Structure formats: structure tokens, C-alpha cells
Amino acid sequence: MSSGKKLLLMGRSGSGKSSMRSIIFSNYSAFDTRRLGATIDVEHSNLRFLNNMTLNLWDCGGQDVFMDNFLNNTNDNNNNSSSSNIFKKCEVLIHVFDVESKEVAKDINTFKRVLQNLSKFSPNVKIFILIHKIDLVQSNKRQELFQLMFNNLKNIAYNEYGFKIQGFATSIWDESLYRAWSSIVCSLIPNVEIYEQHLAKLNDIIDAREIILFEKTTFLVISSMDKNKALSGTNHEYSGLNSTSTLDPKRFEKISNIIKTYKQSVNKIRSNFKNLILHGKNSSIYLDILTSNIYIMVIMDNNIGKDENYEVNNESLVLEDIKIARNLFEKIESKPITN
Amino acid sequence: MDSSTAANTSFDVDSNATVLLMGLRRSGKSSICKVVFHNTLPLDTLYLESTTKPTTENFKSLIDLAVIELPGQLNLFEPSLYDYEKLFTSIGALVYVIDSQDEYLSALQNLAVIIKYAVSVNPKIHIEVLIHKIDGLSEDFRLDTQRDIMQRVGDDLLDYGLEGVQISFYLTSIFDHSIYEAFSRIVQKLIYELPALENLLDLLMQYSNFDKVFLFDINSKIYVATDSSPVDIQNYEVCAEFIDVSIDLDGLYECNNQSQQQQQQQQQQQQQQHFVSDTIIDDVNGSNSNNMMDDYDLNKPNKPTKCISRLENGTMLYLHQMIRGLALVAVSRLEDNNETTAISVIDHNVAIFKKSLEKMWENAKFK
């Protein structure tokens, strides 16, 4: 596909690259990843993400043999035809650091050599580092440790190679992994602002507490909109005192996690879910298919004290609105990407 | 196994909803308790300490259930320690846990002695044997083990001259849903109103076009009643996990309504302060108590949590919160043409079911 984007997934052996790939893209549970063996050489996976975007994920085996091979090959191939050069035309590098690693210096050295190659072959690459297996660190020291490692790597990348990098502390045992990958993937979606604009309009009509868009297979968050964000324009930061600031800041990732578990669970009766309507204690949640690649989640406040039929009416109203919005978003999705 | 449990629905009017958990040491009694009633992750039970004292735990569900756990290393018939006669006469069910991955011969001897004693003091006791930790055995071997254990227990009891003692055997593991299934059946036998409940559920199923309907305890995920059609373990799993999905999703957006209210209250307070600055303290107090009242009012006529999910194969999952920490979860197949009316009918039927459940429980025995 023309709009295929190449993602390199690198890091030392056993740092958890294949595990995270399996969880995000192949619907594994964290527990299932115990079964994975070592990756030999490179495992390619082509993942359709949204309608017109393909992610070519190159999961690079982390054992020294392979790493040396990748890194040295490029030097040799400089002279020859370098078709096998894995550092060419990369859009994204995701470098995974094992928080438990005993050979930090070596890891950093590898990282440097990768950067060196990238600066030569794909200077426009976006770089993300994941400090992985953070669950193995005591919870009160995680932030400190992450900052320490990240600042170190950031300085290396910026001072020596001019790359600006983004970093995340991740673990497959909680939501942090979804958060990191959501950010990574969102950075690749070219028309994410358009989604956001239309979402704001939709919210004007529905008056929801929050609307979230999820990608269908991975359930990564594409875009979200809440009342206050809609009012104050499209700023990404949550501004101080508003209705959503009192919510769990990790809720998106938690939703991703919950829904993926649900997906697995309905797989047991050999099916997939179409929608979900929940009238809970304080809010009504509607989860429905928006387009062939996007699920939409609308969270409405429960207006208690209104008449009995309010809930029923409101439900039909929201569902009808989603139906109408469906056409609009399908149009956005089918637009060709202009990068 | 199934037929014996089903036939065993005659109840002693004076029996208590108490389950006594016994078994040799390290057979997995505490782990079972933790996993079923405390939502502990199965892997975390590896780090449990050995239980040294008899422990009693109470769980509020449809019936108020008490689970007494006796440590395995206790020599049962040292008479000075505990009043076993009183204990055994007061319990409704004896659950004996056998570690199937270990040599179980000594466990079986122990079991036979206990059964002999239990039956002698309390002939109406339900005896349940959990053949536990079967996750380590291969599929074929599980049934062999079960047959072997049943055979040996039967022989032992014959040696003691006991015939016709009803014993139910379950293959269980904490790593899948089998332990919940077993406990569901055990608890169901202690519910005096079970036949009436099942009858109600059958009716509900008939009129609402359900494939399967469960009455779940939300916390422990054991089902206290179901309709009379056979239980498909996959349906059970999906329903149990559906509860988790609903509760978790709802929980994410739960807290902030109150905080929003508080914000509003604060704004009101501020406004009031602007107007009548002299009586600030009174106002603050007044609005605080108002706040309390509001909360009370809002929570009291609480609308039950409801959750509906449609699947691609035309199945629908339906959850409706009931009384006493219970939820009704149903699997239903919808006709495409009249979906909305079908759901309205279901809503109506379930509301009526809930009312009858409430009524039934006004006159219930174990409250």
C-alpha cells in the first residue's frame, strides 16, 4: 500500500518487544505473552490501521547476533545496493529499554548506533522510547527513575544526533502500554485534527460529558472530546478545574483494557460485539461502531430528577445522533491522505 | 454428578447457610476462599501463608453466607479443642478439598472419617468434595482421577457401614471458572427458595425469549440461581465477564458526579456568601446539610444499573441489577425486525421479576 508506514521496534533481547506487539495488535492477554519465544531476525507485520493507513511493523530480534547484523550490515551495504537496509524510510522508531537491564551502558550504546544509522538513512524519523517493565520498580520510585533515564536518553539523542524524542514508562500489566501506543499511533494519523473538529461539533449537539474515538482492532484512542475541551477550543492539555479533571486520568487506557478483555470474552462464543449500552449509577455509556474502523464511546451525565422516560428518549436520541455522525466520519475516513 | 446435585434439593428447615471448608494442609482451601470471595488473582495465591486458626468469613449475598475454614493440620478429633458436634450440627454444607496433584490416599482416609462423623451428628448435611488443582492434570487423567476418588470414597464408606450418603464431586481449579461453577452449585443447595427462584427464572425466560439466564452475585461471580436448562460453561464465562465490563466501565465515570455537585454547591455557597455575608457560617452549615440530603435522595431511589450489548451473531447480553448485590444476566437471541419492542418487553418482564424477588425476600429465611 502506498501509505504504508514503517515502524521499527528495537531494543535488547528479552526487553518485551514482541510481547507488547502481541498485546496491542494481536489481542493477546498479558498472561499469554509467556508463551512467546525469542524473535529471530526481523518479524514483519502489516497492520491496517484506520482505513487508509498501513503500519509495517518491523519487530527486530534483540539478540546481539541480530543487532550486530542490523547495525553492521548497513555499513557494508553503504557501498553496495542497500535494499536490505532496515533503517531506510523509517517513519517511527520505537526503542524499548528494559528497566531491569544489567548492561545499561551497552543498551545506550546500541541506541546510539541505531540513531546514528537513522540520522543517515531516515533523518525525519519520529523517535519514541519506552522504559519497559516499569512494574518491577517500586511504585514510588517509578517516576524518578523514568525521568532519570529519559533525560539521559533525550540529551544523547538531541545533542549528538539532533533528534527530539518522546518517552513513556510502560508495563504490559497495566494501562500504560495503551497510553504509549496511542500516542505513537496518533502521531502518524495525518488528519487527526479533522476528527477532533468534527467531534467537537458532534459534542455541541449531543452535549455529552465525553466522546472518545477508538480504533477498532487495537482499541487505541484516536481522539477524544469533553465539554470543557470543546468550549476552550482544541487544546490537548486538561485545563485545571473542569468536570473531567476529577476523573481518572488513566481512564482511556483503562477503557481500552476493559473492552479488549470483553472482546476476548465474547470470542469464546465465537462472536464479536457490535455495541454496548450501559445505564450506570451516574452516567450512561454508549459504545457503538462509528465507521468500519472506529468505535465511538459517548458518556452522558445521568440527569436524575427528570421524567421517567428521559432515559429511553435520551438513548434513542444519542443512538440516532451516532447514526447520523456515521456518514460524516465515513467521509473523513475515505479522504485520501495529504501529508 | 449432576443428577445427584439436582436431586439433593430437600432442605433442612433449621439448617444454616454455613459452609465448612476442610481438607489436608496445602490442598488449596485458603486460595479458594481468596479467589472466589475476595477477587484475588489466582497467581497471587501462591504467596498465601498457611492458615493456622479456624477462620470464619461472612459474605452478604442473596443469602448471608458464612464460610468457616479449618486449617488442615488440625487433628480433628482432639476433643478438647473445639466443640465439633456443635460445629457440624450448625453447618449446611461440608466442603472437602482434595489436592489432585498430590498423593490423595491419606486425604481420602481423612475424608471418610469426617464424613462418618458428620453424618452421625447431622444427617442432613450436604457433603461436597472438590477434586482440586486439576489444571495440572491432562484432560483424560482428570476423569480417571475423579472415578478413582469416587470409587475409593465409596469403598471406605462401605467399610464404615455407611450406605446411601449423598456426596457430590466437582473437578475444580482456581485458574478457570470451574471453582465458581462448583461454588455456585454448593451455595445453591443452601438456598431454601431455590425451586421457587428457578421457577421464576424459567417463566422469565419463556416470556422474554432468553436463551439462558443467570442470577449472579456481583462480587463473587457465583450464580445463586439459573433457569432449568443445562449450564454451558462458555455462556457462564461470558456472562460473568460481562458483569466485570459493566461494573468497571461504570466505575470509571462514577466519582465525579458527586464532585460536580460539590462544585455546584461551592458555587452556590459563594453566591450566597456574596449576598448575605453576615451569616456565612450558617449558610455553609445549611448547604452542607442540604448536600447530605441531596446525596441521600439521589442514592436512595437509585436506578438499577442496566447494560445491553449486541453481538455480531445476533446474540444480546443483558444485565440488570437486582436486590442484595445480585445481577440478572441473560443471553438472548434477537429477531432483527422488532428489536426495540423486544427490549422493552424484556425490561418490563425483568422489572416484574425484580418485584417478585423483593417480595419473596421479605419472607425469606436467611436475611
Side-chain angles (χ1 to χ4, degrees):
Chain A
M1 259 201 163
S2 56
S3 57
K5 300 193 185 256
K6 182 166 158 189
L7 281 79
L8 278 186
L9 187 55
M10 298 197 117
R12 64 178 276 116
S13 170
S15 58
K17 299 176 293 298
S18 302
S19 294
M20 63 170 72
R21 180 179 59 116
S22 309
I23 288 175
I24 298 286
F25 295 104
S26 313
N27 231 343
Y28 275 49
S29 73
F31 200 66
D32 291 335
T33 59
R34 290 196 308 181
R35 286 183 293 180
L36 292 169
T39 308
I40 309 295
D41 205 22
V42 182
E43 270 179 26
H44 301 268
S45 29
N46 286 323
L47 309 151
R48 260 170 69 102
F49 192 85
L50 297 184
N51 211 12
N52 36 22
M53 202 165 96
T54 318
L55 305 180
N56 300 322
L57 188 65
W58 292 43
D59 183 3
C60 308
Q63 288 172 31
D64 290 346
V65 195
F66 304 127
M67 283 313 277
D68 286 343
N69 195 20
F70 303 141
L71 294 167
N72 295 329
N73 229 356
T74 55
N75 295 337
D76 299 342
N77 284 357
N78 254 344
N79 312 323
N80 313 329
S81 66
S82 49
S83 58
S84 64
N85 188 336
I86 67 164
F87 293 106
K88 276 210 158 179
K89 287 186 184 162
C90 287
E91 299 252 358
V92 174
L93 167 76
I94 302 153
H95 203 105
V96 184
F97 288 89
D98 186 345
V99 82
E100 271 212 316
S101 169
K102 300 276 187 303
E103 305 164 294
V104 181
K106 189 179 150 204
D107 292 345
I108 290 176
N109 192 32
T110 315
F111 182 56
K112 276 185 186 171
R113 286 172 69 192
V114 171
L115 289 185
Q116 196 181 354
N117 277 302
L118 281 173
S119 65
K120 209 184 282 171
F121 295 104
S122 337
N124 292 322
V125 68
K126 288 178 185 141
I127 296 174
F128 296 89
I129 60 154
L130 305 182
I131 311 290
H132 200 45
K133 305 191 189 174
I134 200 77
D135 53 300
L136 298 172
V137 182
Q138 275 179 45
S139 51
N140 52 354
K141 292 189 179 151
R142 283 175 196 173
Q143 187 58 26
E144 193 187 334
L145 183 83
F146 168 71
Q147 278 307 336
L148 197 76
M149 285 178 82
F150 178 64
N151 286 338
N152 186 11
L153 294 167
K154 192 172 74 179
N155 290 336
I156 291 172
Y158 191 69
N159 295 340
E160 297 181 27
Y161 305 98
F163 284 123
K164 281 184 182 153
I165 63 172
Q166 280 179 277
F168 299 94
T170 56
S171 157
I172 58 169
W173 300 101
D174 62 25
E175 324 70 38
S176 54
L177 192 66
Y178 289 96
R179 187 189 188 78
W181 278 88
S182 276
S183 314
I184 293 171
V185 170
C186 275
S187 76
L188 292 172
I189 304 173
N191 41 13
V192 75
E193 312 84 38
I194 304 179
Y195 283 113
E196 206 153 80
Q197 282 165 21
H198 287 280
L199 215 52
K201 278 183 196 159
L202 182 64
N203 198 14
D204 280 349
I205 299 163
I206 298 186
D207 193 30
R209 178 188 291 161
E210 190 157 58
I211 307 182
I212 315 167
L213 296 186
F214 293 96
E215 201 277 330
K216 191 182 179 187
T217 43
T218 57
F219 248 87
L220 296 174
V221 177
I222 299 168
S223 182
S224 75
M225 184 56 60
D226 59 64
K227 271 182 193 165
N228 293 66
K229 203 160 145 190
L231 288 177
S232 60
T234 52
N235 59 333
H236 284 267
E237 302 304 320
Y238 301 142
S239 48
L241 202 114
N242 60 27
S243 63
T244 42
S245 67
T246 53
L247 288 175
D248 188 345
K250 288 178 184 164
R251 62 191 179 283
F252 294 158
E253 295 81 48
K254 282 187 177 156
I255 294 171
S256 300
N257 224 344
I258 294 168
I259 300 296
K260 277 200 124 173
T261 326
Y262 180 47
K263 238 168 122 179
Q264 276 175 347
S265 123
V266 292
N267 268 341
K268 283 177 201 155
I269 49 173
R270 288 166 297 284
S271 187
N272 208 342
F273 72 98
K274 260 186 358 206
N275 71 359
L276 188 142
I277 300 166
L278 171 70
H279 296 293
K281 282 204 192 74
N282 296 315
S283 49
S284 295
I285 299 176
Y286 305 85
L287 176 67
D288 207 343
I289 296 171
L290 187 63
T291 71
S292 49
N293 301 290
I294 301 179
Y295 273 102
I296 187 169
M297 186 177 245
V298 180
I299 295 104
M300 305 287 293
D301 286 323
N302 262 7
N303 293 29
I304 307 162
K306 295 208 178 178
D307 66 307
E308 280 263 306
N309 299 321
Y310 179 78
E311 195 176 80
V312 181
N313 291 335
N314 208 22
E315 176 177 327
S316 333
L317 201 63
V318 172
L319 291 179
E320 200 58 35
D321 281 338
I322 291 175
K323 218 182 255 174
I324 295 166
R326 200 166 284 161
N327 291 326
L328 176 75
F329 278 89
E330 255 157 17
K331 265 183 213 155
I332 304 175
E333 215 182 52
S334 55
K335 257 189 206 162
I337 294 179
T338 46
N339 222 346
Chain B
M1 182 174 103
D2 282 354
S3 61
S4 73
T5 53
N8 214 348
T9 40
S10 62
F11 294 99
D12 177 12
V13 184
D14 294 313
S15 74
N16 276 320
T18 306
V19 173
L20 180 67
L21 208 54
M22 297 184 79
L24 291 188
R25 53 186 293 275
R26 307 202 55 75
S27 56
K29 300 177 293 300
S30 304
S31 301
I32 291 175
C33 252
K34 285 281 179 208
V35 169
V36 176
F37 295 106
H38 294 272
N39 293 324
T40 310
L41 288 175
L43 276 180
D44 290 346
T45 60
L46 289 173
Y47 311 110
L48 283 182
E49 298 274 330
S50 171
T51 314
T52 51
K53 276 188 291 199
T55 51
T56 309
E57 290 180 272
N58 290 300
F59 304 101
K60 200 167 143 36
S61 173
L62 182 67
I63 51 173
D64 281 348
L65 186 72
V67 176
I68 304 175
E69 186 188 336
L70 285 187
Q73 51 270 64
L74 217 69
N75 185 5
L76 187 57
F77 297 105
E78 257 173 55
S80 58
L81 278 172
Y82 299 99
D83 187 351
Y84 284 103
E85 189 172 338
K86 202 174 154 199
L87 180 64
F88 274 94
T89 44
S90 68
I91 59 172
L94 165 73
V95 178
Y96 194 87
V97 185
I98 297 174
D99 180 354
S100 66
Q101 293 185 27
D102 202 6
E103 277 300 318
Y104 49 73
L105 288 181
S106 56
L108 293 184
Q109 280 164 9
N110 186 20
L111 171 64
V113 174
I114 292 170
I115 291 178
K116 185 185 168 220
Y117 181 73
V119 172
S120 70
V121 292
N122 183 358
K124 288 184 173 159
I125 196 167
H126 296 282
I127 297 167
E128 325 274 355
V129 177
L130 302 186
I131 302 167
H132 197 50
K133 306 192 192 177
I134 49 146
D135 47 289
L137 304 182
S138 71
E139 205 69 49
D140 302 339
F141 204 57
R142 290 176 191 178
L143 289 178
D144 285 349
T145 311
Q146 185 183 5
R147 209 172 299 129
D148 186 45
I149 288 177
M150 287 170 84
Q151 179 75 42
R152 284 173 193 275
V153 172
D155 290 350
D156 284 350
L157 290 184
L158 270 184
D159 291 346
Y160 286 120
L162 288 170
E163 266 181 282
V165 181
Q166 286 279 11
I167 307 174
S168 313
F169 293 87
Y170 308 88
L171 293 170
T172 59
S173 159
I174 53 170
F175 292 99
D176 57 26
H177 284 86
S178 56
I179 189 67
Y180 296 98
E181 166 84 16
F183 255 87
S184 299
R185 289 174 185 279
I186 292 167
V187 171
Q188 279 171 31
K189 288 186 198 170
L190 302 175
I191 299 172
Y192 181 69
E193 291 82 0
L194 187 69
L197 267 181
E198 280 181 345
N199 207 0
L200 273 182
L201 287 171
D202 276 343
L203 281 174
L204 180 67
M205 187 164 105
Q206 197 182 331
Y207 287 116
S208 310
N209 213 1
F210 288 150
D211 279 4
K212 186 73 197 161
V213 55
F214 293 101
L215 201 53
F216 270 100
D217 176 48
I218 292 176
N219 279 331
S220 61
K221 307 286 177 308
I222 59 181
Y223 58 94
V224 293
T226 179
D227 61 274
S228 50
S229 67
V231 176
D232 175 9
I233 189 82
Q234 273 165 343
N235 270 342
Y236 166 79
E237 284 174 29
V238 171
C239 288
E241 280 160 15
F242 188 57
I243 297 179
D244 275 334
V245 170
S246 314
I247 301 293
D248 290 352
L249 274 184
D250 195 30
L252 286 179
Y253 287 91
E254 199 167 55
C255 57
N256 79 323
N257 226 15
Q258 284 178 351
S259 47
Q260 249 183 349
Q261 278 169 23
Q262 278 165 8
Q263 271 177 30
Q264 284 171 3
Q265 289 285 346
Q266 277 171 3
Q267 282 168 2
Q268 280 175 12
Q269 279 176 30
Q270 280 167 3
Q271 283 170 356
Q272 285 170 353
Q273 282 171 6
H274 283 300
F275 290 126
V276 268
S277 51
D278 296 340
T279 52
I280 293 172
I281 300 165
D282 284 353
D283 266 330
V284 171
N285 286 342
S287 54
N288 269 348
S289 60
N290 271 343
N291 197 357
M292 296 285 283
M293 284 299 287
D294 280 352
D295 275 352
Y296 184 73
D297 279 350
L298 288 177
N299 289 334
K300 193 61 187 172
N302 220 343
K303 274 195 193 156
T305 300
K306 254 175 29 181
C307 192
I308 300 172
S309 178
R310 291 180 188 81
L311 308 185
E312 270 167 7
N313 62 2
T315 313
M316 177 183 82
L317 295 175
Y318 181 94
L319 178 144
H320 196 120
Q321 196 188 340
M322 293 279 137
I323 54 168
R324 302 179 69 90
L326 297 181
L328 179 117
V329 186
V331 183
S332 171
R333 237 162 239 290
L334 283 180
E335 312 291 325
D336 275 335
N337 41 18
N338 56 355
E339 218 175 68
T340 35
T341 39
I343 290 176
S344 310
V345 170
I346 290 172
D347 277 343
H348 181 74
N349 286 342
V350 170
I352 290 176
F353 172 79
K354 190 177 174 185
K355 269 185 201 143
S356 11
L357 195 65
E358 277 164 2
K359 258 186 211 157
M360 189 191 267
W361 238 254
E362 278 170 17
N363 310 316
K365 284 159 54 78
F366 310 119
K367 282 200 208 175

